[in-house]
Amino acid sequence: NNLSLNDSKFETKFISMTNDKEYKLNTFRYFVVANFDFFVVADNYPFDWQHIYISFSATNPKETGIINPIPEALIDREFQIDGWKMREAKTGILKKKETHNQNASLKKKIELREEIRLGWTLSRSTPVTIMKIAIPLIFLMFLNYYTLFLPFKDSGSAIGILTTTFLSAIALYFSSEKPQPLRLTTIDLIFMYFYIQVGFSILSIAVTRFIGEMYFNQTMAFMKFLLPISAIIGIFVLIKRIRSIRLKPRIDY
């Protein structure tokens, strides 16, 4: 049911048939190669979980009979996907109610559709992505915090450092990998927080340097306290978002 619309690449090859005389049943084995589509939940990229699955059903249950779901004991839990970790495997029957409008009167008819689902929940292995982003971003955050300790006479240099830091963060953002289609993900929120932090620092230094040294020193003392607190709050919100059930994939999508 979820063959790819762009390139299904559906190929089957008959392998063998086994006759069970006790139950008067035949067992057929096929080798299947196909591309499948599934719903992607990319909001937590690069800390996201995904649920990949195969959905299938009988074309005419009245003639061919029902299809039993894959037994739990037969689910493949050993295969590996580069860059991902397997969290759990699920199998079962997904039932959906469908409404069809029939005849010229468009009379509504409700039908119950059943499909077998076999799926695996995966979590992205993020060390490489985190290292590419975290190390430069931590260094840039250090530069941002460093400028708060510069004296009033060096406020011009502080603005120059912060401007360079801001532009470097923009370049880092556009060079980082992002999911398609574009949507607001966790990595976007991280960079948005950093932009706000640097922008607020630039405005604070730029405004107070024209007011006077006393206000400049008071503002910088407040910023030295504010930035670490905001970073702790940001980390707390980030962890809460990553663990959010709302952003975890489900088998019944």
Side-chain angles (χ1 to χ4, degrees), residues 6-249:
N6 296 326
D7 181 17
S8 59
K9 194 183 178 180
F10 185 71
E11 300 176 1
T12 60
K13 180 180 179 181
F14 176 74
I15 297 178
S16 64
M17 183 190 74
T18 304
N19 180 262
D20 190 338
K21 296 181 179 180
E22 181 180 356
Y23 294 98
K24 297 180 180 180
L25 296 173
N26 294 326
T27 301
F28 298 87
R29 296 187 64 205
Y30 292 87
F31 182 77
V32 179
V33 177
N35 290 332
F36 300 96
D37 287 336
F38 58 91
F39 294 102
V40 178
V41 183
D43 299 70
N44 263 338
Y45 177 85
F47 308 98
D48 54 318
W49 289 36
Q50 302 296 337
H51 185 74
I52 62 174
Y53 59 87
I54 302 174
S55 169
F56 56 94
S57 58
T59 54
N60 192 342
K62 294 181 179 179
E63 294 183 1
T64 60
I66 63 174
I67 299 178
N68 290 322
I70 308 299
E72 290 277 351
L74 298 182
I75 300 179
D76 186 358
R77 304 175 187 269
E78 303 298 329
F79 72 90
Q80 297 181 350
I81 302 179
D82 292 339
W84 296 86
K85 296 179 181 179
M86 184 184 297
R87 295 298 181 177
E88 60 179 339
K90 294 182 179 180
T91 178
I93 301 176
L94 181 64
K95 297 182 179 180
K96 291 185 177 181
K97 184 175 67 173
E98 294 183 344
T99 302
H100 301 276
N101 296 319
Q102 299 179 343
N103 305 324
S105 61
L106 299 179
K107 182 180 178 180
K108 291 184 177 181
K109 180 181 179 181
I110 298 178
E111 295 183 355
L112 185 64
R113 181 171 63 88
E114 294 185 353
E115 61 183 56
I116 307 300
R117 286 236 178 148
L118 172 64
W120 299 265
T121 301
L122 311 172
S123 64
R124 190 185 299 271
S125 181
T126 58
V128 175
T129 305
I130 293 177
M131 295 299 287
K132 289 180 179 178
I133 299 172
I135 293 179
L137 204 58
I138 290 174
F139 178 74
L140 293 177
M141 292 182 70
F142 170 78
L143 286 178
N144 180 30
Y145 196 63
Y146 165 77
T147 56
L148 303 179
F149 293 88
L150 294 178
F152 177 76
K153 63 179 181 179
D154 294 330
S155 57
S157 299
I159 293 178
I161 294 174
L162 289 173
T163 303
T164 304
T165 302
F166 188 82
L167 295 176
S168 299
I170 293 177
L172 178 62
Y173 173 74
F174 283 104
S175 65
S176 61
E177 298 177 356
K178 290 177 284 293
Q180 298 290 339
L182 294 177
R183 58 195 303 176
L184 193 63
T185 63
T186 298
I187 191 173
D188 297 322
L189 295 177
I190 293 174
F191 277 98
M192 285 176 61
Y193 163 77
F194 182 75
Y195 295 151
I196 293 174
Q197 187 187 86
V198 176
F200 193 68
S201 298
I202 293 175
L203 289 175
S204 300
I205 295 175
V207 172
T208 55
R209 69 177 299 200
F210 292 106
I211 297 177
E213 185 174 356
M214 182 182 69
Y215 293 100
F216 177 87
N217 294 332
Q218 292 177 351
T219 303
M220 293 304 102
F222 175 72
M223 291 291 292
K224 292 174 187 177
F225 172 78
L226 178 63
L227 291 189
I229 295 299
S230 67
I232 294 174
I233 295 175
I235 293 173
F236 175 77
V237 173
L238 178 64
I239 294 175
K240 186 177 180 180
R241 175 186 172 89
I242 293 173
R243 294 180 177 178
S244 173
I245 301 297
R246 182 180 63 87
L247 300 179
K248 291 292 177 65

